[in-house]
Amino acid sequence: MTTMDETTLSEQTPANVPVTTSTIPADELARLTDDIVSALKTVYDPEIPADIYELGLVYKIDIEDDRSVKIDMTLTAPGCPVAGEMPGWVENAVGAVEGVSGVEVSMVFDPPWTPDRMSEEAQIAVGWY
C-alpha cells in the first residue's frame, strides 16, 4: 500500500477536487466494492434481460467510513413501470452484503440514460452486438 502525504496529494490533485481518504482498510474496501457490484448484478430490469450494473443504470457508488453505501442510479426511462420498486430492490441486494451498515439509493435522471452506457455483456444479452 502506498501512503501519500499532503504535499504529494496537493501536487497531484487540482485545487478544486476534494481529496477523500477512507478509514476502511484497503483490502476490506476492495472486498466491499466487489461484493456491492456483485449484489447490483443480481438486480434486473424486468423488461430487459440484463442486470442494472451492466446496463449502466448505476451512476455512482459511495462507501462511507461507517460502511453505509450511497448509490446514484437511473432508469432506462423516467416512466419505467418499476420506478417505485427498483430502489427497494437495490437497497435489499446491497444491504445483504456483509459489512454494509445501510444503503441509500437516489434516483437521478441527469444525465439521462442512453444505450451507449451498456457494457458489451449487456449489449450481447439484448442482441445489440
Side-chain angles (χ1 to χ4, degrees):
M1 182 165 103
T2 304
T3 304
M4 301 178 90
D5 60 26
E6 281 186 19
T7 306
T8 306
L9 287 173
S10 64
E11 290 170 0
Q12 296 178 353
T13 307
N16 62 344
V17 176
V19 175
T20 58
T21 56
S22 178
T23 60
I24 301 172
D27 58 338
E28 182 183 355
L29 188 59
R31 183 203 51 86
L32 274 172
T33 301
D34 290 346
D35 290 353
I36 289 166
V37 169
S38 293
L40 289 168
K41 289 183 175 192
T42 68
V43 180
Y44 282 75
D45 182 317
E47 297 178 330
I48 303 172
D51 67 76
I52 63 169
Y53 189 82
E54 296 298 335
L55 283 172
L57 298 180
V58 177
Y59 286 174
K60 183 169 77 169
I61 303 167
D62 285 335
I63 303 171
E64 304 294 329
D65 286 343
D66 66 357
R67 291 162 180 76
S68 64
V69 179
K70 295 181 180 177
I71 298 172
D72 286 353
M73 65 170 292
T74 195
L75 301 168
T76 54
C80 179
V82 296
E85 298 171 61
M86 185 80 67
W89 298 344
V90 172
E91 287 176 13
N92 290 338
V94 174
V97 170
E98 183 182 339
V100 169
S101 66
V103 182
E104 179 183 320
V105 178
S106 298
M107 296 302 276
V108 297
F109 295 99
D110 187 29
W113 180 85
T114 61
D116 41 318
R117 292 191 53 88
M118 295 168 60
S119 70
E120 186 176 311
E121 179 181 317
Q123 290 175 11
I124 291 168
V126 299
W128 292 358
Y129 189 78

